[in-house]
Amino acid sequence: MDVDVHMQQKPIEPLSHTQPSNTPLNTIVVVGCGLYAWTVAACLARRLYKTPTKVMVVEELNAPVDNLGESTLPAIDYFHRVLGLTERQLMAVTKGTYKLATEYVLPDSTLAAETSQSNVFYHAMSPYGSVIDNIAFQHHLTKAKRAGVPIDLNRFSLPAAAAGKGKFGLPQAGAQNLPFSYAIHVDAKRYAAGMKDFAKKLGATSVVGEISAVKTVNIGSENDKQCTHIQSICLDNTQHISADLFIDCTAHSRLIDQALQVGFVDYSDYLPCDNSIQYVTDNKPKPKATTQINPNQAGFNLNFPLQAQTVNEYHYSSAHQTQEEALASLDLDSAALETVIFRQQKSQRVASFWVGNCVAMGDAAGSLGRIAASNFHLVQSAVLRLIDLLPDRSLNEHVECPSRDEYNNLCEEEYARVLDYHCAYFALLAREKAPIDSPFWRAQTQAKCPESLMHKMKLFEQTGRFPFYERETFSEKTWLSLFLGLGLWPKEYDRLLDVGQQNLQDSLDAFEQLAGLIDQISDKMPAHYHFLQQFCGAK
Amino acid sequence: MSQTGQIDTPARSVISMQEEKEKQKKQDMQDDSIKSIIIVGGGTAGWMTAAALSNLLTHTNITLIESDRIGTVGVGEATLPHLRYFIKRLGIDEQEFMRATNATYKTGIEFVNWGKVGDAYIHPFGDFGEPIKGIDFHHYYVKLRQNGHINPIGDYSLPVVASKAQKFDYPDTDERSILSTFSYAFHMDAGLFAKYLREYSTQRGVTRQEGIVTQVKQHQDSGFIQSVTLEDGTQLSADFFVDCSGFKGLLIEDCLNTGYDDWRHWLPCDRAIAIPCQANTPPLPYTRATAREAGWQWRIPLQNRVGNGHIYSSPYMDDNTALDILLKNLDGEPTAEPNFLRFTTGKRKKVWNKNCVAIGLSAGFLEPLESTSIHLIQLGIMKLLDFFPNKHCEAVRVDEYNRMMQLEFERLRDFLVLHYHATQRDDSDFWKYVRTMQLPQGLAHKIDLFKERGRVVQYTEGLFLKASWLAVYFGQGIIPKHYDWQLDALPIEQIKRRLDEVKSQVSLASAQMPMHAESLAKHCDLETGWQTPPPPANLSLYGC
Ligand SMILES: Cc1cc2nc3c(=O)[nH]c(=O)nc-3n(C[C@H](O)[C@H](O)[C@H](O)COP(=O)(O)OP(=O)(O)OC[C@H]3O[C@@H](n4cnc5c(N)ncnc54)[C@H](O)[C@@H]3O)c2cc1C
């Protein structure tokens, strides 16, 4: 009797139960705390809203301190739109400011000969100049430069010019089709709190605790690290948390390295700054919409404004300065001293970004330093990529996982390109001689840089062209202005410039016309700070 | 409050001094600059190169050597939309070009019997639907399929639906219009095209030299090519050489011994027979590629005739059988004798070696399956102009050129290999081989990723992007196991409604388009053509 009843019931079973290999993940656990972890959780919660997959955050107790703030890249606007967040709201909540350009302060030796007037290059993330007579601006510039005309790049970009004047306006202000782009600076704590709030509203849950153990299981051959999966993590020796997929957003790669032992690819030969001192100071009266980068004794200073204060970071190499020496060299007043935090971070990345069922993002995935403002960007890019390639529950049953392979390929290519960008700063600044006379910077004149960057610089110098690399985070236009702005000029320009009727004076006239227009428009923009007061709740 | 100082506009006098200086520098530079170029070969590659160089390098002496006695391959008759950009850059009127080459329009390729016998799909010059809420269209399509609504993905692509109905019109330039969602190319008579470009080039100062090159001389130290000698003893020297001599690679291989990567284990076809026949029906606006037992047959409609050919693999089929199959499958009476061709699929190890660039068949040959050869010629020329050297041909420049061309060839190769591999056919040894052969590195991963997650491995440079891979995957029976998980949040009815809308928009748009033959007549007519000028040309395969 029983058997018959059972058999009758069988066909009623929903189909999906018989196909366990193609079912969505039950739970994704994000481990870590602070800005990166909550951003990842918020993005997952948003994109997987109303799907069967649940998002949970394990907030690590006693985690190392976060950065004080984040300087971002223009792509953050896309990210926020994906999340459905409006920028104005965000600026108010995070006490943020705008970023029109990276302000490279250059020692005279680098630029003096180049621009002959200015030791500041405002690097905006939109193209400089405009096409003149169907020939790209760079060729006109190069031709003029070869003829000995002094060139100040800053005049040929609206955001760069506006940044120099301490102004900010919205894109509409960039009428006349002048390229314009911007990013933002945010207070890390406030931004993290905002993301946490947002993630929770979308159903993400969280627990707090100290990770006391991580239980792993090997689903394939013993020697293959890719086959080690995390079964559960244990909090405070009591609570076990299991999930289908773990995202390691901890500061010290608690899962991916400490538990799964993936190891790192070391970049300290290329990028020697491994320590930072961060502190806040009062804002100058009119904070510019820029992140400023300035070479210093054993590294560089980086600072950017928030609405109420300025975040300062000194990144240095511990091979050249001890923490005491570094701190002393900053000569801080007592107010600033009270805010000081210390962070250690070698330049490296995990050997594999996704192992088994664990994906590392943010600091857990490694760091290339702060010059390119890329760390946070790489987190955004990583979480979107993961959602794109999200596996099903068979992840923990099969050794093979094409999504994981693809994810790792893409991340590796992406990191390689971003690494080049970071290295370019040191390579260009110390190209001819040390920008400041210190052992650190003297060492940079001899320092190694990646093959791919060498090729890029050489090719550019010879031909004015860029090699084609896949998966560039920074567009060719951005590379171009970086090279020119930091003093690397090509030997050649487009030969069409000599073929047509164009003479040099025509190019120079076009330069002046463009610079004049940019000057006018940027003059009319409100001061950065007034803009913040008016629209973003700054006091 | 700027820290940036301002530059005063330099005064005129300063400028003239600077111009003097500049002239001086230019003169210094000129000692290094290339003053003469010899192109060996007058096929499609040779004359395309001559035309582009003569248009841009007005101060350079350009000579093209060809021999009427050797002749050209010249069967390249199906093209890609990029060719429009090329002729536009030369300042050639598109409609005039069509008249001169008996051209018809092409909006895609129909593949018959590839996934399995009886299957047919079109790989269009256009996309399938648009992303909705940031999620690619084909995920919605997969979800719909999984819920039992199975129809071809081509129903959501205007160029597919329009091609099938034999419709053609210029795409709209308004990006919002569904009529902007495709590009177009041409079927043309390659022999007439070369002739046209020969006229064009000689008018622009290119010297055409008739004769057979019998000897190539190198500089003793550098190994750079110094001169070529013709049968009659004439010796011609130049600073730079372009090898357009076809399969044999007279300069790049016979002289410079550059080496060739043989790819026949992935692309095993190595023979072709070409034959034109009468056109008995109005021309179709697409190429047809019909899979046969040991290869495939092409059908390319021109205004006045139909071009046909049978591509096959010699280990699996002999020439007579191949000819039989071809002749049995013609639309009309043959209008010429069959032309037998042999080739080795693969690529020259370096397409630029010393002061010589190989362009055309001398650089390598993949397979005409996706009409990529003329595109590779165009790319080779455009990149050569981008990286145009001085006499020294510095390594960094040459390396980058070679790296890019290598990448392009490999990506095209993988895409072509996919056509052979993604099949259920096991009706001949040929198909059994390609179905189970070991794939080039990376291709297996691409296919697995699509099967597993519906993701197409993406790159930004390269000819065939996502839409093309989707066309072949779906067209040849590779269907993803699952769609994007985010779609679990959407009810199926909503998705169905949305996709039905797209489908009806597509068929409505197609219904309103004129017939291909009608558009062709109108555009190629001297009286009416100029009233409807073609849209701007770009380098996109998939519309604006
Ligand atoms: C079967 C087949 C089908 C094809 N279909 C297409 C297609 O649909 N679409 C497409 O884009 N491409 C196609 N192609 C490719 C296309 O035909 C070629 O890319 C194109 O014709 C270019 O050839 P070429 O100019 O490099 O060489 P060729 O046409 O072989 O020209 C070689 C030239 O070199 C000259 N030459 C050779 N040796 C000497 C010497 N010693 N002295 C002087 N001159 C010499 C010859 O006189 C000739 O002018 C196809 C190719 C084949 C084989």
Side-chain angles (χ1 to χ4, degrees):
Chain A
M1 268 299 278
D2 273 346
V3 173
D4 281 341
V5 173
H6 189 80
M7 276 172 63
Q8 273 170 5
Q9 281 176 346
K10 212 173 177 184
I12 305 170
E13 286 229 331
L15 204 73
S16 62
H17 285 227
T18 62
Q19 297 181 323
S21 67
N22 204 6
T23 45
L25 302 174
N26 278 327
T27 321
I28 303 176
V29 162
V30 181
V31 183
C33 62
L35 184 146
Y36 296 163
W38 278 110
T39 302
V40 168
C43 187
L44 287 169
R46 178 75 199 82
R47 296 310 286 179
L48 299 173
Y49 187 56
K50 283 194 186 160
T51 70
T53 308
K54 299 281 160 272
V55 178
M56 183 190 206
V57 177
V58 172
E59 286 193 281
E60 212 190 355
L61 263 185
N62 305 323
V65 282
D66 226 355
N67 292 307
L68 297 175
E70 285 290 338
S71 166
T72 66
L73 295 173
I76 198 168
D77 176 52
Y78 171 76
F79 186 72
H80 286 151
R81 275 188 286 127
V82 167
L83 294 189
L85 296 170
T86 66
E87 185 182 277
R88 295 285 175 83
Q89 258 177 330
L90 260 166
M91 294 298 277
V93 171
T94 63
K95 300 282 181 220
T97 63
Y98 288 100
K99 174 185 176 187
L100 284 170
T102 303
E103 179 181 352
Y104 290 102
V105 180
L106 301 164
D108 292 343
S109 61
T110 316
L111 261 211
E114 304 300 333
T115 71
S116 56
Q117 6 275 327
S118 152
N119 69 337
V120 176
F121 168 53
Y122 293 98
H123 189 214
M125 292 277 164
S126 53
Y128 286 61
S130 60
V131 174
I132 305 172
D133 283 328
N134 285 320
I135 298 174
F137 196 71
Q138 76 176 91
H139 302 292
H140 294 269
L141 272 186
T142 306
K143 180 173 177 177
K145 182 150 176 62
R146 287 176 53 91
V149 179
I151 304 286
D152 182 356
L153 266 190
N154 297 326
R155 302 170 68 216
F156 304 121
S157 155
L158 179 57
K165 294 175 181 174
K167 304 271 193 163
F168 182 80
L170 281 183
Q172 295 90 300
Q176 320 270 358
N177 284 330
L178 291 172
F180 191 90
S181 74
Y182 64 92
I184 56 179
H185 304 116
V186 298
D187 179 304
K189 276 214 179 69
R190 288 175 187 275
Y191 191 91
M195 282 295 165
K196 180 171 178 175
D197 206 37
F198 185 66
K200 293 210 148 175
K201 278 195 187 119
L202 290 165
T205 55
S206 68
V207 287
V208 185
E210 197 157 357
I211 299 170
S212 43
V214 178
K215 197 167 159 203
T216 64
V217 55
N218 194 302
I219 69 158
S221 93
E222 285 295 320
N223 307 330
D224 189 350
K225 275 187 196 152
Q226 287 290 346
C227 299
T228 316
H229 289 233
I230 295 175
Q231 214 165 37
S232 63
I233 52 183
C234 177
L235 291 186
D236 306 322
N237 290 315
T238 50
Q239 197 180 356
H240 293 272
I241 294 177
S242 55
D244 298 320
L245 183 68
F246 289 87
I247 299 181
D248 186 352
C249 282
T250 62
H252 292 316
S253 315
R254 180 67 184 85
L255 306 184
I256 196 105
D257 187 53
Q258 291 180 27
L260 299 177
Q261 294 170 2
V262 65
F264 292 93
V265 180
D266 184 26
Y267 295 134
S268 8
D269 277 355
Y270 299 142
L271 298 168
C273 295
D274 54 0
N275 272 261
S276 73
I277 299 175
Q278 306 188 5
Y279 55 97
V280 295
T281 51
D282 284 342
N283 264 349
K284 299 184 193 86
K286 285 183 183 167
K288 274 191 273 186
T290 64
T291 296
Q292 195 186 61
I293 297 179
N294 204 340
N296 198 351
Q297 285 300 310
F300 62 93
N301 285 100
L302 178 146
N303 47 60
F304 53 85
L306 299 174
Q307 286 177 18
Q309 73 248 114
T310 297
V311 174
N312 305 270
E313 303 175 2
Y314 174 39
H315 296 266
Y316 63 95
S317 155
S318 61
H320 291 272
Q321 262 179 348
T322 63
Q323 195 174 57
E324 293 72 39
E325 286 165 354
L327 188 60
S329 78
L330 293 173
D331 195 19
L332 303 182
D333 62 25
S334 59
L337 269 175
E338 261 172 43
T339 67
V340 161
I341 62 163
F342 300 98
R343 279 174 66 92
Q344 280 179 4
Q345 207 158 39
K346 249 170 80 174
S347 302
Q348 60 184 15
R349 69 159 171 85
V350 278
S352 196
F353 293 87
W354 178 350
V355 184
N357 64 343
C358 175
V359 187
M361 294 183 191
D363 294 339
S367 167
L368 303 175
R370 303 278 282 175
I371 283 173
S374 58
N375 287 352
F376 188 27
H377 176 80
L378 289 169
V379 171
Q380 296 156 24
S381 159
V383 64
L384 291 178
R385 175 170 301 147
L386 180 66
I387 292 167
D388 230 29
L389 293 167
L390 205 63
D392 58 52
R393 225 179 294 160
S394 69
L395 171 69
N396 291 307
E397 291 156 24
H398 302 311
V399 175
E400 303 290 318
C401 179
S403 296
R404 183 171 53 212
D405 298 343
E406 180 67 3
Y407 183 91
N408 283 327
N409 291 347
L410 294 178
C411 288
E412 274 169 34
E413 288 180 344
E414 185 183 34
Y415 269 71
R417 299 287 73 79
V418 174
L419 173 69
D420 283 353
Y421 194 88
H422 282 265
C423 295
Y425 174 72
F426 294 99
L428 291 172
L429 236 64
R431 200 160 59 97
E432 265 144 28
K433 61 179 218 187
I436 40 180
D437 194 28
S438 71
F440 173 89
W441 279 102
R442 280 198 297 275
Q444 295 318 302
T445 60
Q446 311 293 329
K448 290 200 286 186
C449 77
E451 275 298 311
S452 48
L453 176 61
M454 283 303 288
H455 179 62
K456 188 177 258 180
M457 295 192 346
K458 265 202 217 152
L459 186 72
F460 180 75
E461 199 175 11
Q462 280 303 330
T463 68
R465 309 265 168 189
F466 283 88
F468 171 69
Y469 294 141
E470 204 58 77
R471 239 64 70 188
E472 284 275 18
T473 292
F474 299 96
S475 75
E476 194 174 300
K477 299 283 183 208
T478 301
W479 275 101
L480 171 68
S481 43
L482 182 79
F483 278 1
L484 298 181
L486 298 186
L488 183 68
W489 285 77
K491 291 188 182 146
E492 280 174 17
Y493 49 84
D494 194 325
R495 78 204 77 79
L496 283 180
L497 253 187
D498 290 332
V499 171
Q501 269 74 54
Q502 273 272 332
N503 64 32
L504 183 58
Q505 189 59 44
D506 292 337
S507 300
L508 296 181
D509 289 347
F511 290 176
E512 287 318 307
Q513 204 185 346
L514 178 70
L517 182 67
I518 286 174
D519 193 39
Q520 260 177 28
I521 295 179
S522 54
D523 262 347
K524 286 197 199 111
M525 286 180 172
H528 178 218
Y529 205 71
H530 285 153
F531 189 93
L532 291 169
Q533 282 175 328
Q534 212 166 349
F535 298 107
C536 310
K539 290 186 197 85
Chain B
M1 250 278 300
S2 162
Q3 293 186 24
T4 317
Q6 304 287 313
I7 320 172
D8 293 323
T9 320
R12 275 270 171 189
S13 60
V14 181
I15 289 300
S16 48
M17 256 175 57
Q18 271 157 358
E19 281 196 336
E20 276 308 310
K21 242 166 73 187
E22 189 200 345
K23 260 192 205 138
Q24 189 56 46
K25 270 193 192 156
K26 229 155 81 190
Q27 245 140 37
D28 297 346
M29 211 163 80
Q30 258 165 17
D31 287 335
D32 279 354
S33 74
I34 283 171
K35 294 185 203 71
S36 54
I37 300 174
I38 285 179
I39 301 168
V40 177
T44 314
W47 285 115
M48 279 178 76
T49 306
L53 296 188
S54 66
N55 187 40
L56 287 178
L57 306 175
T58 42
H59 298 304
T60 315
N61 248 318
I62 303 171
T63 305
L64 184 145
I65 306 170
E66 66 175 329
S67 166
D68 287 340
R69 273 181 294 151
I70 296 183
T72 64
V73 168
V75 281
E77 305 200 307
T79 65
L80 294 175
H82 306 67
L83 186 66
R84 294 188 55 230
Y85 184 79
F86 186 79
I87 59 178
K88 176 89 195 167
R89 284 289 299 271
L90 295 182
I92 295 171
D93 176 70
E94 183 176 307
Q95 294 173 345
E96 186 190 315
F97 153 84
M98 292 190 73
R99 282 190 291 271
T101 61
N102 278 329
T104 65
Y105 292 114
K106 169 183 175 188
T107 46
I109 304 176
E110 183 185 33
F111 290 92
V112 180
N113 295 344
W114 285 82
K116 55 182 194 296
V117 175
D119 275 2
Y121 70 95
I122 288 182
H123 168 201
F125 296 142
D127 215 336
F128 303 94
E130 284 187 337
I132 307 169
K133 295 188 176 152
I135 300 167
D136 281 342
F137 182 85
H138 70 275
H139 291 286
Y140 294 83
Y141 170 73
V142 171
K143 177 154 181 174
L144 206 61
R145 274 184 83 103
Q146 285 190 357
N147 282 271
H149 306 280
I150 296 177
N151 59 312
I153 195 168
D155 290 358
Y156 306 98
S157 161
L158 179 57
V160 171
V161 173
S163 298
K164 280 201 211 153
Q166 300 191 35
K167 303 282 191 127
F168 180 82
D169 204 354
Y170 287 141
D172 204 323
T173 46
D174 180 356
E175 264 176 63
R176 287 161 305 178
S177 162
I178 188 167
L179 292 168
S180 75
T181 57
F182 65 99
S183 299
Y184 67 95
F186 315 101
H187 302 116
M188 61 164 188
D189 183 325
L192 294 177
F193 184 48
K195 213 169 113 194
Y196 184 89
L197 291 179
R198 171 171 153 182
E199 192 75 8
Y200 176 99
S201 309
T202 44
Q203 272 171 16
R204 281 163 184 76
V206 173
T207 310
R208 176 185 179 271
Q209 173 75 48
E210 166 69 35
I212 292 187
V213 174
T214 51
Q215 207 194 336
V216 185
K217 230 188 235 154
Q218 287 168 277
H219 282 283
Q220 229 162 22
D221 300 336
S222 62
F224 275 39
I225 295 177
Q226 187 172 19
S227 65
V228 293
T229 312
L230 305 185
E231 240 177 351
D232 65 1
T234 316
Q235 192 171 341
L236 299 160
S237 51
D239 297 332
F240 194 77
F241 290 81
V242 188
D243 186 346
C244 296
S245 65
F247 289 125
K248 71 163 91 69
L250 201 64
L251 308 183
I252 195 84
E253 197 59 59
D254 289 0
C255 172
L256 296 174
N257 299 313
T258 307
Y260 193 80
D261 285 325
D262 186 336
W263 286 343
R264 275 179 297 183
H265 49 298
W266 290 315
L267 296 170
C269 288
D270 58 353
R271 295 280 190 280
I273 310 173
I275 192 165
C277 75
Q278 283 172 352
N280 297 330
T281 49
L284 298 175
Y286 54 89
T287 306
R288 179 177 292 144
T290 308
R292 303 276 179 226
E293 285 121 78
W296 60 280
Q297 181 179 340
W298 83 72
R299 183 189 181 282
I300 297 174
L302 300 192
Q303 288 179 22
N304 55 331
R305 60 168 166 86
V306 177
N308 306 278
H310 187 186
I311 303 264
Y312 54 100
S313 173
S314 62
Y316 297 95
M317 184 173 284
D318 62 67
D319 296 346
N320 286 334
T321 318
L323 182 62
D324 270 357
I325 293 177
L326 177 62
L327 293 176
K328 264 192 218 128
N329 289 289
L330 296 183
D331 287 7
E333 283 301 305
T335 57
E337 287 301 307
N339 176 12
F340 289 83
L341 296 150
R342 294 172 166 219
F343 51 84
T344 305
T345 51
K347 179 188 165 287
R348 201 69 57 195
K349 282 191 193 309
K350 287 178 184 174
V351 293
W352 185 341
N353 193 356
K354 303 191 190 290
N355 62 338
C356 172
V357 169
I359 293 179
L361 297 171
S362 55
F365 183 58
L366 290 173
E367 238 293 355
L369 189 55
E370 286 278 0
S371 332
T372 46
S373 270
I374 291 179
H375 165 73
L376 284 167
I377 294 173
Q378 179 177 347
L379 189 74
I381 295 169
M382 283 172 23
K383 291 293 167 203
L384 174 61
L385 286 166
D386 274 358
F387 288 101
F388 200 75
N390 56 27
K391 282 180 190 166
H392 307 299
C393 296
E394 314 95 311
V396 65
R397 191 188 297 267
V398 175
D399 290 350
E400 180 60 19
Y401 185 91
N402 283 327
R403 205 176 62 86
M404 292 216 47
M405 293 306 287
Q406 179 75 22
L407 204 66
E408 185 75 16
F409 264 89
E410 283 175 1
R411 286 174 173 179
L412 292 183
R413 176 198 66 199
D414 286 3
F415 185 59
L416 294 177
V417 172
L418 174 71
H419 292 68
Y420 285 102
H421 183 71
T423 185
Q424 296 166 32
R425 288 186 70 151
D426 57 1
D427 51 305
S428 70
D429 287 345
F430 174 83
W431 288 103
K432 280 182 196 152
Y433 171 73
V434 291
R435 195 168 54 99
T436 54
M437 68 185 160
Q438 177 137 32
L439 296 178
Q441 203 209 345
L443 179 58
H445 164 69
K446 285 192 181 102
I447 298 172
D448 285 346
L449 185 68
F450 187 74
K451 277 187 190 158
E452 195 60 34
R453 287 274 68 86
R455 297 289 156 192
V456 177
V457 173
Q458 291 217 47
Y459 31 75
T460 41
E461 193 102 329
L463 179 59
F464 295 112
L465 305 182
K466 192 156 61 187
S468 295
W469 287 83
L470 289 177
V472 178
Y473 282 142
F474 284 112
Q476 299 193 191
I478 297 190
I479 312 292
K481 222 165 75 180
H482 208 277
Y483 46 82
D484 191 310
W485 294 113
Q486 297 175 68
L487 291 190
D488 276 343
L490 285 184
I492 186 71
E493 300 76 41
Q494 204 177 323
I495 292 178
K496 178 150 190 337
R497 223 177 307 128
R498 188 68 186 258
L499 263 64
D500 283 349
E501 253 170 54
V502 176
K503 201 160 102 182
S504 59
Q505 276 170 6
V506 164
S507 57
L508 205 69
S510 161
Q512 286 166 354
M513 282 163 73
M515 297 302 286
H516 175 225
E518 202 181 307
S519 291
L520 200 58
K522 187 163 136 199
H523 298 162
C524 292
D525 187 301
L526 274 177
E527 294 286 305
T528 52
W530 63 272
Q531 291 166 0
T532 35
N538 57 27
L539 287 173
S540 161
L541 205 55
Y542 312 109
C544 67

